[in-house]
Amino acid sequence: QATHGIAMEQLKDAPTYSQLLPEIKRVTKDKLIVAYNAEYDSRLIRQTANLNGAEVLDADWACAMHRYSAYVGEWMRSK
């Protein structure tokens, strides 16, 4: 909650990963997923799938953070 401002109470009626997976698969099918920290995001998706006994999302990922760092010629460290 301190990081993103979302309280557990706000999530009580939220769908589960398993419930969302068909829609996630539909919108990512044949797409490249670009995330600012793709290694982190893809790892969390895999961990969530494993914790829920669900299928792991089969997707191609690209990391905008790495590409940006290469473009500017320096590594942008997190604070």
Side-chain angles (χ1 to χ4, degrees):
Q1 183 175 351
T3 301
H4 47 63
I6 300 172
M8 290 304 291
E9 177 65 23
Q10 293 172 287
L11 302 174
K12 68 179 177 159
D13 296 322
T16 65
Y17 174 82
S18 297
Q19 291 169 326
L20 291 172
L21 185 58
E23 180 66 6
I24 295 169
K25 287 171 62 175
R26 185 187 72 75
V27 300
T28 60
K29 183 179 178 175
D30 299 324
K31 302 277 190 329
L32 175 66
I33 299 172
V34 179
Y36 189 72
N37 189 348
E39 291 172 15
Y40 175 81
D41 291 340
S42 62
R43 179 174 48 86
L44 286 183
I45 295 275
R46 280 192 311 277
Q47 288 174 343
T48 299
N50 290 333
L51 286 171
N52 288 277
E55 177 184 351
V56 174
L57 181 64
D58 181 26
D60 292 322
W61 292 78
C63 185
M65 179 176 67
H66 289 169
R67 293 194 182 187
Y68 178 76
S69 293
Y71 173 75
V72 298
E74 62 184 72
W75 180 249
M76 305 300 290
R77 295 191 188 277
S78 301
K79 292 182 180 182

